[in-house]
Amino acid sequence: MSASDATPALLTARIEQWPIAGAFTISRGAKTEAVVVVAEISRGGVTGRAECVPYARYGETPEATLAAILAMQDRFAAGLDRNALQSAMPAGAARNAVDCALLDLEAKSQGLRVWDMLQQPAPRACTTAYTISLGTPEAMASATAKAAYRPLLKIKLGSDDDISRITAVRQAAPESELIVDANEAWTPDNLKANLDACHNAGVTLIEQPLPAGKDDALMHVHRPIMVCADESVHGLASLEALRGRYDAINIKLDKAGGLTEALAMADAARAMNLDIMVGCMVATSLAMAPAMLIAQYARFVDLDGPLLLAGDRDGGLRYDESTVYPPDAALWG
């Protein structure tokens, strides 16, 4: 779609709630439903759609995200295209939904799959992590035992006794590859002990152990395990500050502000010799589908959002245990 197209685009959006199976708990709290915002852009009888998850950690709310999307209606009616969108909206959940909806619309309008349109590798099936929520060591061990058949588990830590938790988890899943997400909850004082405990448990990667902006200690501690930036990385402009602190980055479309920025980040990260993880919020398959293009470059894939829901939307991604398959055109792209 370009500004020269005669037919105006119609932009609409709505908030949806999707119950979570049980509860999803991290160091910052627990939730029992995923609240997402869906954007739809229609033009010439074709509709593109996409989904985002506003994140309170970054001051986003569903209502403000919805308002930010709807505020762009006149711009789209006047012919705003995806290239202009990157500077017209700040990075974040709202731009992610609009960017990915535009990509879906462009692909459908051209009769192409989105990866062919963007000249990207066709996504292939890949192994996704499955998340174990933060809880007592006993509760986490019990949840892990039920998922021990999965090849890759993501363990939420960030408590006052993470050493006991990761030890219990490893005992419950002796064969699974483990990655850990501390969600900014460690401190410089316990960093080394927690890194060593994770190393002893055979953990492969640790996400965001220290708070964003307060992670200088990572430059001065021996890192026996790969450390991945999550809350410390958003878009392209945030990458340079990661040198010396991190070995990998977690690319999430809601942080980057869409697939357009995320693909540029993947290119830049590889040029910096940073490994790539592609992550997600708890959401439906509509939010996961665009991230499958980033998964093709990722050492770690964490796109288990729909597996944590009580039910996914119709036509969602196919999950065969921990194997996730590319989206059908009817879902997205």
Side-chain angles (χ1 to χ4, degrees):
M1 187 175 69
S2 70
S4 62
D5 292 322
T7 306
L10 175 65
L11 171 65
T12 61
R14 63 184 179 273
I15 297 173
E16 295 180 350
Q17 291 86 23
W18 292 83
I20 292 173
F24 180 75
T25 305
I26 66 173
S27 61
R28 283 189 287 269
K31 61 181 181 179
T32 57
E33 67 175 7
V35 181
V36 308
V37 180
V38 176
E40 293 185 344
I41 304 174
S42 301
R43 181 178 169 274
V46 180
T47 298
R49 63 173 183 164
E51 176 183 315
C52 71
V53 182
Y55 195 21
R57 167 66 178 81
Y58 306 125
E60 297 176 333
T61 66
E63 294 75 18
T65 299
L66 178 67
I69 293 171
L70 295 178
M72 301 300 294
Q73 287 173 319
D74 290 345
R75 298 287 299 274
F76 278 101
L80 182 76
D81 65 11
R82 184 165 51 88
N83 290 330
L85 173 70
Q86 307 310 311
S87 58
M89 296 183 77
R95 195 179 78 188
N96 176 34
V98 177
D99 181 73
C100 292
L102 275 172
L103 283 163
D104 190 35
L105 176 62
E106 291 173 27
K108 287 180 167 63
S109 298
Q110 297 179 37
L112 297 172
R113 293 313 306 264
V114 71
W115 43 88
D116 294 325
M117 183 184 75
L118 296 176
Q119 299 182 326
Q120 292 288 321
R124 63 190 184 279
C126 54
T127 298
T128 179
Y130 181 80
T131 301
I132 303 298
S133 287
L134 179 64
T136 65
E138 295 76 18
M140 293 183 71
S142 176
T144 300
K146 296 173 184 176
Y149 65 93
R150 295 183 181 273
L152 179 62
L153 297 177
K154 176 172 175 173
I155 312 304
K156 290 289 189 178
L157 295 181
S159 71
D160 56 358
D161 189 12
D162 281 344
I163 294 175
S164 294
R165 284 166 171 78
I166 196 60
T167 301
V169 163
R170 173 49 84 195
Q171 291 173 350
E175 303 299 325
S176 299
E177 182 176 14
L178 301 182
I179 58 180
V180 158
D181 188 359
N183 284 115
E184 305 182 277
W186 293 355
T187 70
D189 290 337
N190 64 26
L191 177 62
K192 184 181 185 302
N194 284 335
L195 286 173
D196 289 344
C198 287
H199 179 62
N200 292 337
V203 171
T204 305
L205 172 140
I206 298 175
E207 282 185 76
Q208 198 69 43
L210 300 176
K214 299 180 180 180
D215 49 9
D216 286 353
L218 291 172
M219 299 180 69
H220 310 294
V221 68
H222 173 61
R223 302 197 300 267
I225 306 170
M226 188 183 307
V227 177
C228 178
D230 184 357
E231 286 86 351
S232 286
V233 62
H234 293 262
L236 270 173
S238 64
L239 293 183
E240 187 59 34
L242 306 180
R243 290 186 187 274
R245 292 176 171 84
Y246 295 96
D247 311 294
I249 63 167
N250 187 344
I251 299 177
K252 292 178 179 175
L253 271 61
D254 282 314
K255 291 188 302 175
L259 181 60
T260 300
E261 179 86 355
L263 287 169
M265 290 177 65
D267 288 342
R270 288 183 294 158
M272 295 173 63
N273 293 317
L274 290 168
D275 278 306
I276 294 170
M277 178 179 186
V278 60
C280 69
M281 308 299 289
V282 183
T284 81
S285 285
L286 183 57
M288 307 299 120
M292 286 295 292
L293 276 73
I294 304 298
Q296 307 315 299
Y297 302 108
R299 164 67 177 85
F300 300 96
V301 175
D302 179 24
L303 299 177
D304 65 343
L307 297 179
L308 305 176
L309 298 176
D312 196 6
R313 66 175 72 247
D314 292 342
L317 294 176
R318 174 189 166 200
Y319 286 87
D320 182 5
E321 301 295 356
S322 290
T323 301
V324 55
Y325 291 84
D328 292 335
L331 174 66
W332 182 87

